[in-house]
Structures are given as C-alpha cells and as structure tokens.
Amino acid sequence: AGVVLRADDHDEMSALAISPAGLALASPLRVTGDKSTAGRVALRVAPRPSRSSAKRAVVVPSAVATGTVATPSGDATPSQKYYSGMNGKALNAEEKQFPTMAEVLNKIPKHCFVKDTAKSLMYAAVSTAITVGLGLAAFAYIPMTLAYLPAWIAYAFVAGTASTGCWVVAHECGHGAFSDNRAIQDTVGYILHSLLLVPYFSWQRSHAVHHSRTNHVMEGETHVPAQVNTPDSDVVFKLRDMLGEGPFTALNLVGVFLLGWPIYLLTGASGGPVRGATNHFNPNAGDQGKHALFPGKWRGKVWQSDVGVVATIGALAAWAVSAGSVWPVAALYLGPYLVCNFWLVLYTWLQHTDVDVPHFEGDQWNLVKGAFMTIDRPYGSIYDFLHHRIGSTHVAHHINHTIPHYHAKEATEALKEAFPDLYLYDPTPIVTATWRVGSKCIAVYKRGNEWVFTDERMPDAKPLIA
C-alpha cells in the first residue's frame, strides 16, 4: 500500500498515480507581470476547523455562522480575527500529528476503491437525461419572448444546476474514478466536458496538479490566495476601500462566479504563482521549465482537448445561423452554462478556503496536510443527489481521487471516525459561508509557519512574490 505522487509527472491520466490498497478558482480581475491574479481573492473558500487542543479551545458562538470578530479564550492566537463554523480547527497545524497517506488510506474500506462501470454509466445517463429533458421541455413550452424572461431565468438555474451533475461525472472520468476501462472513461469525460466548453485533458492535468499541491501558497493550482503587499492584493484592498465592504463583497462574488472559470482557463488566474500566466488551450503559455503546467505528452493532449471545445462552439454557431437568431442559443444553452460555471466555482472555492484555514510553503507543506485542509459542507439532499455529493464528501476525494462518488459517503464516515481532529466540516449555511469568504478572505500573510487570511492591510508583512 503506497502512493506515488509526482506533480511534474507526464503520464497520460494524471500527475497523481495512486495505489488503491494504500493511498478554479479564482477569477482574475487584473494582470500582474506575466500572471493574471486579480480574481484570486474571491476564490477563497470557507473551511471550518476546530482546535484539537483543549488548551487552545475557542468559544465563538456568534462567529461560527457569520465570520464576525471573535474573541478567543485562553492563550489562543490573539491575531486570529475571524472564525468559521470550524472554530479554528485547521489552524496551528504544526501542533498536530499528521499520519502518512498509507495510514489514512488503510482506514478506508477497500471496496470504496472499486469502480463499477455500469453504475457510473447509469449516473452519467441520469444527469444527462435530466439536463436534456429540461432543455426539450423549455423549448416546447416557454415562448421565446421578453415577457417570459423570468421563466427563462428559472429554466437557466434549474437546467444549469442539473448540468453540473454532468460536469461532475466528467470530473470523475478525469480522475480515473469512473471506470477501469480507460476508453469508456475518457470517451464519456471528453464528450461531457467538451459539450460544457471544458478542455477535458487540459483540465485533467491542471486538476491533478491541484490535488498534488492542495493549499500550497506557491505551487497550488486554482484558488491560490493572493499574498499581502503584492500588486494583486493591493488592487483588491484599494477597491474594497473605495467601495466599502458590502458593495465590494457583492461585486467580488459576481465577478468570480460570472468570470472566474473562463478567466482561469484562459489566463491561469488564481493558479500557482510559480507557473505564470497559463492557458488551458495553449500549452506554450506560462512557465515552460520545472513548473510547466503541460509538460511532455500533455502538450499534445491540450490540442486534442481544443478540438472538442471548438467543435461545440461550431455547433452552437451553426444552431444560431439555422435559427436566424442567437437568442435560442442564449436562452437554451448560455443561461444554463453560466449557472453550471457558478456551481463549479462555488464548490471549488468553498472546498479549500475560509477565514481560519491556512496555506503552507516549503517543508511545512505535505500531501496529507494539504488534503486535510479540504472542507466538507452542507449542501442538502437535492444538490447532493444532482451533483453526486461533490461538496459534502470532498475531503475523501482529496485523500484519494479514485474513489467513485457512490462510495464517497462511506469513505467520509471512515475518515471522520479515524481522524476526528483533522477532518474538516463547516456547518455554516452555504450562503453565509460564501459571503464570509468573499468578504474576509482578501489575502494571506505568514504567521508562524502558516499563511493565514486577513481582510486588513499589513505593511510589515513580507510576501514570497513581488
């Protein structure tokens, strides 16, 4: 039982090669140097830690849900201003004993790693049928007139929410959790992601890097926080000072949810600073050395991914020409597409970001510690069904991304029982947590051996990047 993890691996499936027996997103609003990172601020998510040591226990009843100023008791770190529903559980990681990845995996029942191709295909068919069915019903029963705009907006939300299930299925294909049959797996993933304008193999690689460097402040991928006293964070602080906290937070959330995903794909915004301005459609963008996002054979796979996306765009253009108007395409496809992107960014952001969830660098970071900085949240039974539990069982997914979603709940329960001091779950309502993250997680600064979030300027703090 063991794990082989190489962030610079050139293998076909992913940068993570795992033994079953034993192992974004920020939207850039600005460009600094050769890297667009402005939107990085909005993509932080709210994990919810609680202190493992009674000595450092924190009692913050009102701060749990709102993230308001909390007053720690005892000798808890006085500079920690805000707490999530996790009550600071993820902080002070150096005081905790982290197991090896093999030890963690041995606590998960072995059958949780078994993939059932027929079952996976069934879930793919269900998500696809719901999405297509909603589109056909809207086309048949909702008139294409301005008077029915509210109905089209409602359709966009419902269909976009359903199509996120298709996105998650393709995500599972990219991780090798869909089937042991590589051809079936990549065919399903490539088709579904291409139809959603996602470059399948390009994202497969970048997402594998995200898993291999979770919550690394320099080498992470997607939702890597801006550091204080850098051009990235300075712009955001100025905007916040100019608008005020409330209007800034609203603008921040709208910008991230509306533009975050496409800007990440096109510019690498919120990606690791070491990689420069990457582009999921062009392997020649960004760093081409040690930290290249698409090294070796992945360069060719980027071009293969482009074919699927271009084919979908061509089909949409042909549809608009045939209909004699862009409005049918906008109403039936673009609206749900934007909602799907919203869900994608929301999940990714909130899975790894909150006011009391730190990032690390150098020897202070390791694979297990990064994985346990992932946060599970309460999305409710309807969204869990439609989205295959992507938000409520994400800790298990980061422990081992080859666990199929239909085994993730059982794997999660095993992790909670075996590692209660490390497993993160934030009961804060999603809307409240989202506002807290968008408002308070502006940038990170180094405090001790951890990089923690702040919503205030810190003139004396030193960033790792200029």
Side-chain angles (χ1 to χ4, degrees):
V3 55
V4 178
L5 185 146
R6 304 181 292 278
D8 58 346
D9 192 7
H10 299 180
D11 285 346
E12 255 190 62
M13 274 308 292
S14 122
L16 290 168
I18 301 170
S19 165
L23 184 98
L25 176 82
S27 65
L29 302 177
R30 52 205 167 123
V31 177
T32 301
D34 66 344
K35 174 108 180 136
S36 175
T37 49
R40 196 176 284 170
V41 149
L43 292 176
R44 315 293 180 282
V45 175
R48 60 173 298 248
S50 62
R51 305 197 183 263
S52 58
S53 143
K55 177 183 178 183
R56 304 184 77 85
V58 179
V59 180
V60 285
S62 64
V64 167
T66 64
T68 52
V69 179
T71 304
S73 62
D75 66 343
T77 308
S79 56
Q80 183 62 31
K81 186 177 180 182
Y82 303 109
Y83 290 87
S84 70
M86 296 174 283
N87 298 334
K89 183 177 182 179
L91 296 171
N92 304 312
E94 72 277 3
E95 298 178 3
K96 301 178 175 66
Q97 184 67 43
F98 285 87
T100 65
M101 185 57 79
E103 290 171 338
V104 177
L105 293 176
N106 286 334
K107 297 297 183 179
I108 300 175
K110 296 299 179 285
H111 65 265
C112 288
F113 300 93
V114 177
K115 287 158 273 191
D116 185 329
T117 301
K119 181 177 288 188
S120 295
L121 286 169
M122 181 270 291
Y123 280 110
V126 168
S127 290
T128 302
I130 294 174
T131 302
V132 173
L134 288 167
L136 292 174
F139 179 75
Y141 297 109
I142 305 179
M144 197 71 63
T145 63
L146 188 60
Y148 282 84
L149 180 60
W152 282 110
I153 292 175
Y155 157 75
F157 178 78
V158 176
T161 299
S163 69
T164 304
C166 297
W167 206 107
V168 174
V169 168
H171 157 269
E172 196 147 282
C173 291
H175 276 301
F178 188 86
S179 171
D180 288 322
N181 186 311
R182 178 73 63 82
I184 292 176
Q185 182 166 257
D186 281 346
T187 298
V188 172
Y190 187 90
I191 291 173
L192 290 178
H193 262 173
S194 294
L195 290 173
L196 293 169
L197 302 182
V198 179
Y200 176 69
F201 292 114
S202 304
W203 174 86
Q204 180 187 60
R205 162 63 186 177
S206 66
H207 195 62
V209 175
H210 159 69
H211 272 253
S212 73
R213 292 291 185 271
T214 304
N215 279 44
H216 193 296
V217 76
M218 291 297 291
E219 298 178 18
E221 184 62 21
T222 75
H223 298 279
V224 178
Q227 298 171 27
V228 295
N229 297 324
T230 62
D232 288 351
S233 62
D234 288 346
V235 169
V236 179
F237 277 119
K238 288 178 182 178
L239 182 63
R240 190 171 185 264
D241 292 343
M242 180 176 66
L243 297 178
E245 181 175 334
F248 162 79
T249 303
L251 179 63
N252 190 25
L253 294 178
V254 170
V256 170
F257 291 138
L258 187 63
L259 302 174
W261 174 239
I263 294 180
Y264 166 68
L265 291 179
L266 293 168
T267 71
S270 88
V274 296
R275 295 184 193 91
T278 59
N279 186 316
H280 281 67
F281 302 96
N282 177 12
N284 297 313
D287 182 79
Q288 297 298 303
K290 175 184 176 181
H291 297 291
L293 188 57
F294 304 112
K297 67 178 65 176
W298 286 103
R299 297 172 64 82
K301 286 184 168 294
V302 171
W303 301 123
Q304 293 175 30
S305 303
D306 292 351
V307 172
V309 174
V310 170
T312 299
I313 293 174
L316 293 172
W319 177 11
V321 171
S322 174
S325 171
V326 298
W327 293 116
V329 178
L332 288 163
Y333 180 89
L334 182 59
Y337 167 77
L338 294 176
V339 172
C340 179
N341 287 354
F342 154 76
W343 279 110
L344 164 63
V345 175
L346 176 71
Y347 278 124
T348 310
W349 196 4
L350 293 184
Q351 284 160 353
H352 304 287
T353 309
D354 216 325
V355 291
D356 50 1
V357 175
H359 284 65
F360 308 92
E361 60 163 312
D363 294 338
Q364 292 301 317
W365 180 94
N366 63 59
L367 179 63
V368 175
K369 183 185 290 186
F372 273 117
M373 291 301 119
T374 305
I375 308 153
D376 284 343
R377 296 182 182 277
Y379 287 91
S381 58
I382 294 177
Y383 294 126
D384 274 351
F385 167 73
L386 291 173
H387 300 162
H388 312 298
R389 299 184 182 278
I390 189 67
S392 60
T393 61
H394 207 68
V395 175
H397 176 65
H398 265 262
I399 292 298
N400 188 321
H401 60 66
T402 67
I403 297 175
H405 75 269
Y406 39 83
H407 293 318
K409 185 175 181 180
E410 183 179 358
T412 297
E413 293 303 319
L415 292 172
K416 288 168 62 177
E417 181 178 352
F419 307 102
D421 292 338
L422 300 179
Y423 172 78
L424 298 182
Y425 174 80
D426 186 354
T428 304
I430 299 302
V431 172
T432 303
T434 302
W435 186 267
R436 178 177 66 221
V437 168
S439 172
K440 307 300 183 185
C441 296
I442 303 300
V444 293
Y445 71 99
K446 191 169 186 179
R447 188 177 70 200
N449 291 321
E450 300 176 338
W451 288 81
V452 295
F453 281 106
T454 181
D455 65 342
E456 297 178 345
R457 297 175 184 274
M458 307 193 71
D460 297 328
K462 297 180 179 180
L464 292 175
I465 55 179

